[in-house]
Amino acid sequence: MAVRAMNTCVIFRSASTPPPLIISRQCCCLRQLTASSRHRNRSNSHSFLRCAPHPLSHVTVRSYSVHNLVEMVMEELASIRKRGGRVRATSKLELASTGELLEDKLKKGTLQKGLLLEFKKDSERLLLAVALKPDGKKNWMVSDQNGITTSIKPQQVTFIVPGTENFEPTEISEFVQKAHDNLDPALLEFAWNELLEKNKSVTVQELAEMIFGSAEPLETYCAHLLLSRDDVYFAVLESKGPSSVYGPRTANQVEELLRRKLATEAAEKEFKELIQLLRSAKQMPPQDKRPRLSWKTEEKTWHKIQSLEAFAIDSCKNDDQTKTAGMILKAMGLAKTSSAAVNLLIDIGYFPVHVNLDLLKLNLPTDHRDEILLAAESLLSASTDLDEADRIDLTHLKVYAIDVDEADELDDALSATRLQDGRIKIWIHVADPTSLVQPGSIIDKDARRRGTSVFLPTATYPMFPERLAMEGMSLKQGKLCNAVTVSVVLRSDGSIAEYAVENSIIKPTYMLTYESATELLHLNLEEEIELKILSEAAALRLRWRREQGAIDTATLEMRIKVTNPDHPEPSIKLYVENQADAAMRLVSEMMILCGEVIATFGSHNNIPLPYRGQPQSNIDTSAFAHLPEGPVRSSAIVRIMRAAEMDFRNPIRHGVMGLPGYVQFTSPIRRYMDLAAHYQVKAFLSGDSPPFSAGELEGIASTVNMTTRVVRRLSSSSLRYWVVEYLRRQPKGRRYRALVLRFIKDREAAILLTEIGVHASSWVSTGVQIGDEVDVQVEEAHPRDDVLSLKEVEAV
């Protein structure tokens, strides 16, 4: 073995097994040549660069870690600055002054048979190929490194390897392998150091001669790869076809580019780790997946997951979020679509299988802020009733609270008796949240912002903090409760003879579901005579309203209750309610009666209120007499109804209900406009001015109604999702009885599945008419895509 020391570097040569070509002093690299050594031994340095004439097929070049490389380059850059020299950027003029023009350096390569060339296959791939023969006037047929023969255009050629006039296509793979095995960025950095100080440009062949001591095809191609992949040390000064001249960048430029490169590599590493994490999470069984909150522990990971979530629900705040989500989906081999993002988030356990995307998209508040909860607790602990002295004691009355079986908040309850003259007296007791909450308070403002409680199959998001609503405001069986009571005496025809609106205290006797109330009515128990009187009053009211032009729109309604919604297979309970049922009729008629009384009370006392109306003078109900009573007729009438209207100074006729005026008043815990009506009425009862003028009420209603419409759409879409999911789970081939409501187009009919209260559509056979019943089966049910396909089947 021969050893030569030059310029403080060491070169090893071996005839048998060639060791690494270059090993530098101390850190085994070429970077740390000091300026003084270069000046003292410039000729030796040049000799050193040319000391290895043998081709790269006989050498192995040592590689270095990126961080070590950057550290050493930074040291050298610091050294350059310490020497007081600022090396200026290389210009074309300065390069020309060295005696050699750029144009002279650019030697145009001409394609001919047998040449080895590099060409651009597509936007991402560069391949080596051997030129075979011309293909037309300009194009060439080539055989690439994969053994594929193709025609390429001249502009696709990126480099022609010099000295390869008779290259064989079979040799390309070995050539490529040798080149890639012997690339070392350290060599390029060393050349940059030398050329920067000499302020010289370089061609690919010159660089090969400089760093490898040879310009043979393999060394030249290696030099080309180093330069073409470099984005730090050299910039292209001039190009002519596949030939280019490169100039060294300044020290400051290199320092900045290295800094950016480190940042980019760190980001790429971080991104790869995220993708690996996502793939790992996807493969885990459902019970082992990370909980949603665990994704928030690392800020960088959380930032990317947030971008993916924003993309999934179409709410990206900026281009960066869209780009990040797109990169993640691409790396995971998925399409760049919101549905693909949703599925990925489900697969990793971040979203539950049945995630409510509409709820996320609408960004409705589902929790109460800490300051609201604290204010609620303060109200509960104070429990001061400002109206205590003015309340009438109605605890002697039997009070029925009737609602759905899972109701959390009870807003209203009913009492009744028969007077000595035979007339019926009714008390409608409405919960009194204004005994705790005042207009303009922090809790009032939060309730106004929410507008309404949100009732979904999976959860309820109350307008007020839950404990305040449940313990401070809601009516409770056997407990003393504050209320606003509307009492009414009916005439024998169902019209209002007398009424009063008063602050009260009551003690609810029964908390009944609609089903249990209906059963009690059917039992006709003497001890529950009050319930029977209420039912009689409801019948009187319905008859009276119809005489006033009311339109009966009672139909079947469906409710769904989902327990454990985050589970892949949650429990779904479906309830079908007939609005014409005795107990439902009873409650709805009493609520309508209360609304009429409040409108009359407000009108007589000039109280600004949210009066509701619905002009229907153009509807001739006799035109629908040929349709069967019930859902068919109701569906036809509802389709031509005009939208409801509001006035805040005077009542307006509500044609659908057959009332001269109407105000929603019976759900102040659930609906803000009901609460606003309570504020106005309660102020009058206490002798104060109403807190809101008509104009202020109108402004509040505009905001609240907008929120309410959004919530209504959310409730509808959520109900639809779980209906389709319920049908998806049913045994294949199950039959459903369906009522034909109308025809949409040709034989496609709007139908009502009477067993489950679901509206849908299906193609029905010739001969089927509106009002007929048919049997249908589910063909497809995909809740996420809102797909429900039904087909008619022959009746058994």
Side-chain angles (χ1 to χ4, degrees):
M1 178 181 290
V3 180
R4 295 173 56 203
M6 287 189 177
N7 205 21
T8 71
C9 292
V10 184
I11 298 177
F12 294 85
R13 293 187 183 227
S14 172
S16 55
T17 306
L21 174 63
I22 301 169
I23 302 177
S24 74
R25 59 179 172 83
Q26 297 177 353
C27 294
C28 300
C29 70
L30 296 171
R31 305 169 185 74
Q32 297 177 323
L33 294 171
T34 63
S36 58
S37 64
R38 282 196 294 267
H39 286 295
R40 284 195 308 269
N41 207 350
R42 194 175 293 270
S43 61
N44 281 350
S45 176
H46 185 67
S47 301
F48 161 70
L49 293 171
R50 303 176 58 83
C51 65
H54 52 288
L56 279 177
S57 56
H58 301 296
V59 302
T60 302
V61 180
R62 179 166 178 174
S63 61
Y64 306 95
S65 74
V66 173
H67 288 283
N68 287 341
L69 175 61
V70 172
E71 286 170 8
M72 288 182 275
V73 171
M74 292 301 188
E75 288 175 12
E76 180 65 21
L77 290 169
S79 174
I80 291 173
R81 284 195 295 272
K82 274 186 182 178
R83 293 196 296 271
R86 275 201 176 217
V87 183
R88 291 174 293 131
T90 306
S91 69
K92 293 183 183 181
L93 182 62
E94 288 170 328
L95 290 167
S97 69
T98 63
E100 189 174 12
L101 294 174
L102 284 175
E103 288 77 5
D104 296 333
K105 286 195 169 193
L106 290 169
K107 298 176 181 177
K108 186 174 181 181
T110 304
L111 273 179
Q112 58 185 11
K113 182 180 179 180
L115 278 181
L116 181 64
L117 59 90
E118 181 187 76
F119 73 98
K120 199 168 190 177
K121 178 72 174 177
D122 50 44
S123 60
E124 295 183 353
R125 287 186 298 168
L126 291 169
L127 298 178
L128 277 184
V130 173
L132 300 179
K133 62 180 179 179
D135 182 27
K137 291 183 179 180
K138 294 183 179 180
N139 296 354
W140 271 81
M141 296 298 295
V142 298
S143 177
D144 68 28
Q145 63 195 65
N146 298 318
I148 297 173
T149 300
T150 186
S151 176
I152 64 170
K153 299 175 183 179
Q155 55 265 38
Q156 286 179 261
V157 179
T158 53
F159 186 65
I160 298 174
V161 182
T164 56
E165 287 75 10
N166 296 300
F167 210 89
E168 292 295 331
T170 55
E171 298 173 354
I172 300 178
S173 294
E174 184 181 358
F175 184 88
V176 170
Q177 188 62 49
K178 286 180 180 178
H180 284 83
D181 287 346
N182 292 285
L183 293 180
D184 187 353
L187 299 175
L188 193 63
E189 185 229 325
F190 169 76
W192 166 78
N193 225 329
E194 292 294 310
L195 293 167
L196 178 64
E197 183 154 326
K198 295 175 181 178
N199 206 21
K200 288 188 65 177
S201 62
V202 69
T203 64
V204 171
Q205 286 173 287
E206 288 171 344
L207 182 69
E209 185 73 34
M210 181 179 182
I211 61 176
F212 300 126
S214 169
E216 292 297 312
L218 184 57
E219 284 83 348
T220 304
Y221 181 59
C222 283
H224 162 70
L225 288 179
L226 288 171
L227 286 169
S228 61
R229 295 177 181 183
D230 171 53
D231 53 5
V232 175
Y233 299 105
F234 289 89
V236 176
L237 299 178
E238 189 91 15
S239 289
K240 188 177 288 185
S243 303
S244 298
V245 174
Y246 298 84
R249 288 190 169 98
T250 67
N252 287 338
Q253 288 174 331
V254 168
E255 186 172 10
E256 178 58 27
L257 288 170
L258 281 172
R259 205 173 272 121
R260 290 182 190 176
K261 190 172 184 178
L262 264 182
T264 300
E265 286 168 350
E268 288 173 354
K269 180 184 177 185
E270 182 184 295
F271 185 77
K272 287 178 182 177
E273 289 172 351
L274 172 68
I275 298 303
Q276 184 56 43
L277 187 63
L278 295 176
R279 287 175 178 156
S280 175
K282 271 189 73 173
Q283 294 169 357
M284 289 180 180
Q287 65 274 14
D288 295 335
K289 292 188 187 295
R290 296 176 58 172
R292 180 186 174 97
L293 289 176
S294 70
W295 292 97
K296 296 183 179 182
T297 53
E298 266 190 58
E299 187 177 345
K300 292 178 181 178
T301 299
W302 174 233
H303 171 74
K304 292 179 176 62
I305 293 295
Q306 278 184 307
S307 296
L308 193 61
E309 179 179 4
F311 187 81
I313 61 176
D314 302 318
S315 64
C316 287
K317 296 175 183 176
N318 49 55
D319 292 341
D320 182 57
Q321 283 195 323
T322 304
K323 182 180 177 182
T324 300
M327 289 170 58
I328 293 172
L329 292 170
K330 182 179 179 181
M332 295 295 291
L334 301 171
K336 190 181 176 181
T337 62
S338 57
S339 60
V342 170
N343 291 331
L344 175 57
L345 289 169
I346 289 173
D347 288 342
I348 66 173
Y350 181 80
F351 277 168
V353 173
H354 299 287
V355 58
N356 191 328
L357 295 175
D358 288 334
L359 181 61
L360 294 175
K361 289 177 182 180
L362 294 171
N363 198 29
L364 291 173
T366 55
D367 297 316
H368 289 85
R369 304 191 308 273
D370 289 344
E371 58 182 332
I372 303 298
L373 296 175
L374 287 172
E377 290 300 320
S378 177
L379 288 176
L380 285 171
S381 60
S383 65
T384 302
D385 179 14
L386 300 177
D387 304 304
E388 186 175 2
D390 298 327
R391 293 193 185 278
I392 61 169
D393 188 348
L394 299 179
T395 56
H396 62 283
L397 294 176
K398 184 181 283 187
V399 178
Y400 298 90
I402 306 172
D403 211 326
V404 294
D405 56 356
E406 72 271 10
D408 296 322
E409 308 156 354
L410 287 171
D411 296 276
D412 50 74
L414 304 169
S415 300
T417 190
R418 194 179 301 279
L419 302 177
Q420 289 183 352
D421 60 7
R423 294 184 301 173
I424 295 173
K425 184 172 184 178
I426 301 156
W427 290 266
I428 303 152
H429 313 288
V430 183
D432 185 10
T434 65
S435 64
L436 292 171
V437 179
Q438 297 302 305
S441 66
I442 184 173
I443 290 183
D444 169 71
K445 289 178 179 177
D446 187 65
R448 187 187 304 179
R449 182 173 63 90
R450 293 169 181 269
T452 180
S453 293
V454 181
F455 299 97
L456 303 179
T458 52
T460 297
Y461 303 108
M463 185 171 75
F464 288 112
E466 186 174 1
R467 222 169 77 80
L468 180 63
M470 290 290 294
E471 298 181 22
M473 301 174 176
S474 181
L475 303 179
K476 295 178 285 295
Q477 183 175 350
K479 304 289 185 182
L480 295 177
C481 303
N482 293 333
V484 176
T485 295
V486 172
S487 58
V488 186
V489 176
L490 296 179
R491 297 188 181 97
S492 58
D493 65 351
S495 62
I496 299 171
E498 304 170 18
Y499 71 84
V501 181
E502 300 167 294
N503 292 311
S504 66
I505 184 165
I506 64 171
K507 191 175 182 180
T509 314
Y510 295 117
M511 312 295 275
L512 302 175
T513 64
Y514 288 112
E515 292 80 3
S516 59
T518 299
E519 287 177 11
L520 280 175
L521 287 170
H522 287 159
L523 289 172
N524 197 20
L525 300 174
E526 187 62 32
E527 56 268 30
E528 301 302 336
I529 187 64
E530 294 86 353
L531 191 61
K532 184 179 179 181
I533 294 172
L534 281 169
S535 182
E536 184 183 335
L540 285 174
R541 286 292 300 168
L542 178 60
R543 185 169 66 242
W544 179 82
R545 289 194 305 107
R546 283 175 173 171
E547 289 171 356
Q548 309 308 308
I551 300 171
D552 188 6
T553 58
T555 186
L556 297 179
E557 278 200 357
M558 177 265 303
R559 287 187 299 110
I560 283 182
K561 185 72 174 177
V562 179
T563 54
N564 196 14
D566 288 347
H567 192 274
E569 292 288 330
S571 171
I572 305 175
K573 289 185 179 179
L574 186 143
Y575 306 86
V576 181
E577 297 169 345
N578 186 346
Q579 292 179 318
D581 175 79
M584 296 203 80
R585 283 281 195 195
L586 186 160
V587 173
S588 64
E589 285 300 330
M590 295 304 102
M591 299 305 105
I592 292 170
L593 174 60
C594 180
E596 182 187 357
V597 170
I598 294 298
T600 304
F601 180 77
S603 176
H604 287 174
N605 297 291
N606 296 314
I607 305 173
L609 288 170
Y611 298 102
R612 293 177 178 270
Q614 197 170 14
Q616 298 299 336
S617 56
N618 61 327
I619 295 180
D620 179 10
T621 54
S622 63
F624 301 93
H626 67 286
L627 296 174
E629 251 191 293
V632 175
R633 188 180 297 179
S634 295
S635 172
I637 294 173
V638 166
R639 289 183 65 241
I640 64 168
M641 283 184 178
R642 290 164 59 186
E645 299 174 1
M646 293 189 77
D647 194 289
F648 301 91
R649 293 170 178 82
N650 301 294
I652 50 177
R653 176 168 174 75
H654 203 301
V656 173
M657 291 185 180
L659 302 177
Y662 177 70
V663 173
Q664 285 187 332
F665 193 75
T666 57
S667 296
I669 305 177
R670 308 179 189 188
R671 297 190 298 240
Y672 187 83
M673 291 314 297
D674 291 42
L675 180 68
H678 273 244
Y679 285 144
Q680 301 291 89
V681 169
K682 291 290 294 291
F684 178 83
L685 292 178
S686 63
D688 298 326
S689 298
F692 305 120
S693 67
E696 288 170 330
L697 268 184
E698 185 173 4
I700 292 169
S702 175
T703 303
V704 169
N705 289 341
M706 192 159 48
T707 305
T708 302
R709 284 192 292 271
V710 170
V711 170
R712 195 178 295 124
R713 286 198 302 270
L714 171 64
S715 298
S716 177
S717 66
S718 300
L719 191 63
R720 169 77 178 180
Y721 177 95
W722 287 105
V723 165
V724 178
E725 174 64 12
Y726 174 85
L727 292 172
R728 183 189 70 81
R729 295 191 192 181
Q730 300 309 301
K732 192 171 179 62
R734 177 181 169 180
R735 292 166 174 265
Y736 301 90
R737 201 71 179 150
L739 180 65
V740 177
L741 302 176
R742 62 187 174 88
F743 285 99
I744 301 169
K745 184 180 179 181
D746 297 329
R747 301 306 298 172
E748 185 182 4
I751 60 175
L752 172 66
L753 304 186
T754 54
E755 300 166 67
I756 55 179
V758 174
H759 289 261
S761 63
S762 176
W763 194 270
V764 296
S765 55
T766 304
V768 175
Q769 301 296 319
I770 292 174
D772 289 348
E773 287 192 341
V774 295
D775 284 352
V776 296
Q777 287 181 344
V778 176
E779 282 191 305
E780 286 186 89
H782 305 295
R784 181 67 64 209
D785 301 320
D786 192 22
V787 172
L788 177 61
S789 175
L790 303 172
K791 67 174 181 179
E792 182 189 3
V793 293
E794 287 187 19
V796 178

